[in-house]
Amino acid sequence: MTPPRHDVAALTGFARDLCRAAGLDAEKAQAVAQTLVESDLLGHVTHGLALLPRYLEDALSGGMTREGEPEVLRDRGACLTWNGRRLPGPWLVHKALDIALERAASFGTATVAIADSHHIGCLAAYLTRATERGFLMVLSSSASAASAVAPFGAISGVLAPDPMAAGIPTDGDPILMDVSASITTINMAGQLQKAGARYPHPWVQDAEGQPSTDPAVLSQGGTLLPAGGLDHGQKGYAWALLNEALTQGLSGYGRADRPTGWTASVLLQLYDPEAFAGQAQFLRQTSHTAAACRAATPRPGGPPVRLPGESGLAHRRAALRDGLALSPAIWSGLQASAAKLSVAGPA
């Protein structure tokens, strides 16, 4: 049975109302709602509205700070560092992006490091705000309280999935990449467990280091494998170390502080191509490479080559036109939150 489709504006308003009922002010509630819906629009269902019930629980329990502003730790113009004070991650990232867009236009580049943010959701959900302005954006995040990923060659968990996203303008749709240094994510593992499903390939290992397709091994001492798996996992391992240096090292808050709860360290970077070789030259290069990739001969019997973000943008356009479908599990989670907070759902 096909899940019912929801009007995107009504669904965003519903999510915003839930956030308001949990104590967030209007601006923070709108940022959280809009970002999570945008994640679902792009097809990143593990990091969209599926996260909202837990966000709401954290807001009510004190795991998320509901009021106030980030603390400015250092500001040197093109470089800005905040203590996020565990404020809502989507609001912090959008606020940082507002500042970075203004400063990158002056300095050519701008970087914002955020210590101790609450979870920021799907990284890809922020990218088009920059690419629509012609800026290249790189966004990195790490969960310093998480240790679900084993370093390459180990069986004990030390690292987090450590995602990195980038929005690259071209003369057509932007390239939108959002990838993790681990093969899969903690949220995906949780969703598979609830559904009684398995991974299509051995992306995790059990407590003895044996590869497995069963997400349940993660609750039994197992770990996620770094990108590249047992074969070439040194690549994902190295990437994770770089990501944690960029996010936790530059923000000054991370594993060394032994944090608990749902915390994120973040690094947002913007580049204005006009400040380098120029916008025209930038687009000439990125568009040429994008076209060459699309024109590459596909594997025998395989589909045409796509660019990162291509299917997500197509999904977004279709959902805006026809409505956004949510799985029964996600919808029931939202309904349960609505009942708890006495919020009326959309028609």
Side-chain angles (χ1 to χ4, degrees):
M1 181 177 176
T2 304
R5 294 186 174 273
H6 303 268
D7 176 78
V8 172
L11 195 59
T12 304
F14 177 41
R16 182 197 62 230
D17 292 346
L18 288 171
C19 291
R20 293 284 283 137
L24 299 188
D25 64 37
E27 184 180 339
K28 294 179 177 68
Q30 180 64 26
V32 170
Q34 188 172 329
T35 303
L36 295 184
V37 171
E38 181 69 15
S39 303
D40 282 311
L41 287 172
L42 291 170
H44 294 271
V45 296
T46 60
H47 285 63
L49 288 169
L51 296 174
L52 185 55
R54 186 172 169 191
Y55 279 25
L56 299 172
E57 289 174 9
D58 267 21
L60 293 168
S61 68
M64 174 192 288
T65 303
R66 297 183 293 187
E67 299 175 345
E69 298 286 324
E71 177 190 358
V72 177
L73 300 178
R74 294 196 180 181
D75 188 348
R76 296 176 66 173
C79 302
L80 173 64
T81 307
W82 285 342
N83 176 352
R85 299 181 48 249
R86 209 67 67 98
L87 287 157
W91 176 74
L92 282 171
V93 175
H94 279 296
K95 185 179 181 70
L97 184 51
D98 288 339
I99 294 171
L101 285 167
E102 181 180 340
R103 296 190 184 190
S106 298
F107 298 117
T109 183
T111 301
V112 183
I114 308 174
D116 200 18
S117 165
H118 196 269
H119 192 266
I120 71 171
C122 168
L123 275 61
Y126 305 95
L127 300 175
T128 56
R129 284 196 58 204
T131 58
E132 286 169 356
R133 297 269 295 269
F135 290 177
L136 167 66
M137 177 173 169
V138 180
L139 180 62
S140 302
S141 176
S142 64
S144 55
S147 55
V149 183
F152 183 61
I155 62 172
S156 54
V158 175
L159 303 165
D162 288 314
M164 185 270 283
I168 306 170
T170 73
D171 59 10
D173 281 341
I175 299 168
L176 304 178
M177 57 177 286
D178 185 347
V179 286
S180 293
S182 58
I183 296 181
T184 186
T185 65
I186 299 168
N187 288 330
M188 175 61 77
Q191 288 200 3
L192 288 176
Q193 275 193 267
K194 287 179 182 178
R198 286 177 171 260
Y199 296 112
H201 303 285
W203 293 345
V204 294
Q205 61 182 351
D206 64 21
E208 285 72 45
Q210 296 301 311
S212 176
T213 61
D214 184 2
V217 302
L218 297 178
S219 59
Q220 301 161 5
T223 52
L224 303 174
L225 289 170
L230 295 177
D231 228 9
H232 289 82
Q234 75 274 12
K235 298 179 183 291
Y237 175 35
W239 172 5
L241 291 172
L242 172 61
N243 188 72
E244 298 209 356
L246 290 171
T247 55
Q248 298 173 34
L250 292 181
S251 74
Y253 184 85
R255 298 190 184 283
D257 301 289
R258 302 185 181 277
T260 59
W262 215 356
T263 179
S265 299
V266 181
L267 190 75
L268 185 157
Q269 299 166 288
L270 280 188
Y271 301 89
D272 180 3
E274 191 58 41
F276 294 86
Q279 186 78 16
Q281 290 298 325
F282 179 86
L283 292 177
R284 184 172 73 92
Q285 298 294 340
T286 60
S287 302
H288 175 88
T289 302
C293 289
R294 287 197 187 96
T297 304
R299 290 176 55 83
V305 175
R306 297 183 310 189
L307 291 168
E310 191 171 328
S311 63
L313 289 170
H315 184 275
R316 185 181 193 278
R317 283 189 278 264
L320 288 172
R321 182 187 65 237
D322 304 325
L324 178 61
L326 295 177
S327 73
I330 293 174
W331 184 241
S332 65
L334 295 176
Q335 288 181 311
S337 294
K340 180 178 179 179
L341 294 168
S342 301
V343 173

